[in-house]
Amino acid sequence: MAQSLQSFHTFSLQSQCSQLIEITDLAQLQQLAFASPFCILGAGSNTVFLSTYQGTVIKMATRGVNISERKDDYLLEVAAGENWHQLVSDSLAQAMSGLENLALIPGTVGAAPVQNIGAYGVELAKFIEYVEYFDIASKQIKRLNKLQCQFGYRDSIFKQQLKNKAVITTVALALPKQWQPELSYGPLQQLESVTPQAVFEQVIKTRNSKLPDPYVLANAGSFFKNPIIANQQLQTLLQAHPQLPHYVYDDQHHKVAAGWLIEQAGLKGHRIAGIEVHQQQALVLVNHGDSNGDDLIAMITHIQQQIWQRYQIELHHEVRLMAAFDECHISLEGRL
């Protein structure tokens, strides 16, 4: 029997799946057939279902947080179904700091390592001790340390070699007792009193000023990745666009702000059917309703083409797009 997915992903396109299974006990995973196609879902804040999904959606809803104190840090072992922002808030309330830059990122703890969530100069990988997952082939729980997770910018082994082969069950985070604030991003540099709580509150204030609440106005958060470009290309761009925000990525590359590129291209407020580039933050696409997957694809394509023509930079969407049978990627390849 078909199940509506509109309320299970925050972009809220009208869509259905063949079957929806909610996992509240890890023992349930042992009983699942994992017949193809299937999709693992957390809070649905980084996933958009473009049309009817011809398979099973497996929603992770396990709960529980185990905290142990060690000499130099606290170890938090967190079930996949826990809410990410609630974990950040609760850890601060218990005088365990470090995650404050990652406040208000929507989604579940289990989804966080998949794309190595990050914000305001901090990535989740910094705190990972290990990730446990249910191995679909062997039906066993396995553990990977931080290095084995192969974290990159919005990337991990769970998006690559282990895609559709693993279900994250537990994420273990090590929060150092010796707090070191990360204040490299603009809004945090104005803080008069630098405390974990002050950083937490400033991050929330900044995000709320830019990002619409997905439960008020349907959206999937930051839709595009910040492009990573070679230093030489950056220097060329800065000659024409000296205000371009940029951050060191490594010795040969810089990261540039995708939202700035989209805004400067005059795309704020651009609308296709009910899909709109958000008026306050060009990195966010919002859904006013009366829209479908084709409308969203048309918007993604238009933005990618405009940014390429203006800057010779290809934008890649950060949000996971689910078609009828599998995840799909919208790119400029073959359309330039």
Side-chain angles (χ1 to χ4, degrees):
M1 182 178 172
Q3 164 80 50
S4 173
L5 290 170
Q6 190 167 10
S7 63
F8 287 91
H9 67 128
T10 60
F11 203 78
S12 199
L13 285 181
Q14 290 190 19
S15 50
Q16 295 181 319
C17 65
S18 300
Q19 184 181 26
L20 177 74
I21 298 173
E22 189 170 64
I23 303 297
T24 56
D25 188 326
L26 295 184
Q28 291 173 262
L29 294 172
Q30 296 282 351
Q31 311 304 320
L32 282 183
F34 287 98
S36 185
F38 65 86
C39 170
I40 310 297
L41 191 66
S45 57
N46 195 57
T47 300
V48 175
F49 290 93
L50 297 172
S51 59
T52 295
Y53 182 65
Q54 305 287 344
T56 301
V57 173
I58 301 165
K59 179 174 172 59
M60 291 299 291
T62 52
R63 305 301 295 272
V65 181
N66 182 60
I67 301 171
S68 51
E69 184 175 355
R70 303 189 295 194
K71 180 184 177 184
D72 298 319
D73 59 23
Y74 299 96
L75 183 68
L76 281 61
E77 296 166 298
V78 190
E82 289 285 342
N83 177 272
W84 173 259
H85 175 69
Q86 194 62 53
L87 176 70
V88 176
S89 179
D90 289 349
S91 62
L92 268 185
Q94 297 175 67
M96 296 179 294
S97 52
L99 302 178
E100 52 281 339
N101 293 55
L102 305 178
L104 219 59
I105 295 178
T108 60
V109 171
V114 177
Q115 62 157 3
N116 185 21
I117 61 171
Y120 300 101
V122 174
E123 289 186 334
L124 176 71
K126 177 180 179 180
F127 303 102
I128 290 286
E129 178 98 353
Y130 66 80
V131 176
E132 285 187 345
Y133 67 93
F134 177 78
D135 182 76
I136 292 172
S138 68
K139 291 189 175 293
Q140 293 180 329
I141 299 291
K142 297 186 176 181
R143 178 181 291 191
L144 298 178
N145 62 32
K146 180 191 297 191
L147 193 62
Q148 292 169 321
C149 288
Q150 299 177 25
F151 289 120
Y153 174 59
R154 300 297 181 270
D155 199 16
S156 73
I157 193 172
F158 301 103
K159 286 182 77 171
Q160 305 298 333
Q161 297 96 311
L162 290 180
K163 182 181 177 183
N164 295 332
K165 297 177 181 178
V167 182
I168 293 174
T169 56
T170 303
V171 178
L173 305 170
L175 303 186
K177 292 180 179 178
Q178 187 68 41
W179 181 62
Q180 290 185 314
E182 171 51 66
L183 306 172
S184 59
Y185 275 59
L188 302 180
Q189 294 173 356
Q190 278 85 54
L191 286 175
E192 293 180 6
S193 172
V194 179
T195 65
Q197 187 66 29
V199 174
F200 175 74
E201 291 172 1
Q202 183 63 48
V203 167
I204 290 175
K205 180 181 177 182
T206 304
R207 290 183 73 92
N208 280 334
S209 70
K210 294 182 177 181
L211 304 173
D213 184 339
Y215 299 103
V216 176
L217 178 57
N219 71 88
S222 298
F223 209 93
F224 296 96
K225 298 178 185 178
N226 288 322
I228 295 167
I229 63 174
N231 292 343
Q232 186 175 358
Q233 184 180 6
L234 174 66
Q235 293 308 314
T236 302
L237 281 169
L238 286 174
Q239 290 176 12
H241 310 280
Q243 304 302 316
L244 171 63
H246 55 280
Y247 311 92
V248 174
Y249 182 76
D250 60 26
D251 290 345
Q252 282 81 42
H253 300 85
H254 274 70
K255 190 190 298 183
V256 295
W260 189 91
L261 298 175
I262 297 168
E263 180 174 353
Q264 294 302 307
L267 291 171
K268 264 189 177 178
H270 182 71
R271 188 161 174 163
I272 296 176
I275 311 295
E276 182 186 27
V277 180
H278 190 47
Q279 299 278 359
Q280 275 71 51
Q281 171 52 276
L283 196 54
V284 176
L285 304 183
V286 298
N287 174 23
H288 294 286
D290 298 322
S291 307
N292 58 37
D294 288 342
D295 299 324
L296 179 58
I297 290 171
M299 177 64 85
I300 295 168
T301 301
H302 179 71
I303 293 170
Q304 288 175 329
Q305 289 175 332
Q306 292 297 309
I307 299 308
W308 177 263
Q309 289 170 11
R310 191 178 177 96
Y311 307 105
Q312 282 69 59
I313 291 176
E314 181 170 5
L315 288 186
H316 297 277
H317 52 87
E318 179 178 327
V319 175
R320 184 172 64 151
L321 303 177
M322 299 303 298
F325 294 95
D326 199 2
E327 184 175 352
C328 67
H329 297 275
I330 311 302
S331 70
L332 285 176
E333 191 173 347
R335 290 194 272 111
L336 293 176

